[in-house]
């Protein structure tokens, strides 16, 4: 049989009740998006509280690297060794 003559399968459309149910689930005020936003806001606040400590650790690390490489004769040499 020639495939061009065979009709494609018919799509089954969802019932109107099912569409209404899905729509209601999407727009219902369950508070889930609000709870997720609140949790994200709290986590971002926690990150902001840690920033001074992180910046201090980075500065300490840079100072340590600079101190350890103080005998290197040139600034480009310092940068090269710091990358290693």
């Amino acid at each position: 049989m020639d495939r061009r003559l065979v009709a494609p399968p018919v799509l089954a459309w969802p019932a109107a009740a099912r569409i209404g149910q899905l729509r209601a689930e999407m727009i219902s005020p369950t508070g889930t998006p609000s709870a997720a936003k609140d949790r994200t806001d709290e986590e971002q606040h926690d990150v902001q509280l840690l920033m001074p400590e992180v910046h201090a650790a980075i500065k300490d690390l840079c100072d340590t690297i600079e101190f350890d490489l103080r005998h290197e004769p040139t600034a480009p040499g310092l940068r090269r060794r710091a990358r290693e």
Side-chain angles (χ1 to χ4, degrees), residues 42-63:
E42 289 173 8
E43 290 172 355
Q44 288 178 346
H45 179 69
D46 293 344
V47 168
Q48 291 300 323
L49 291 176
L50 290 173
M51 289 306 284
E53 184 178 337
V54 170
H55 285 278
I58 291 171
K59 184 179 180 314
D60 186 44
L61 181 62
C62 290
D63 289 345

Side-chain angles (χ1 to χ4, degrees), residues 2-78:
D2 191 4
R3 292 185 143 233
R4 291 177 290 166
L5 299 176
V6 177
V10 178
L11 293 175
W13 293 96
R18 177 70 179 144
I19 293 173
Q21 177 188 5
L22 291 171
R23 181 179 178 277
E25 289 175 7
M26 290 183 70
I27 63 171
S28 69
T30 59
T32 303
S34 178
K37 182 184 178 314
D38 292 343
R39 187 172 54 248
T40 302
D41 289 345
E42 289 173 8
E43 290 172 355
Q44 288 178 346
H45 179 69
D46 293 344
V47 168
Q48 291 300 323
L49 291 176
L50 290 173
M51 289 306 284
E53 184 178 337
V54 170
H55 285 278
I58 291 171
K59 184 179 180 314
D60 186 44
L61 181 62
C62 290
D63 289 345
T64 301
I65 291 171
E66 192 173 327
F67 179 78
D68 290 343
L69 301 177
R70 71 187 181 280
H71 300 295
E72 191 70 26
T74 63
L78 286 173

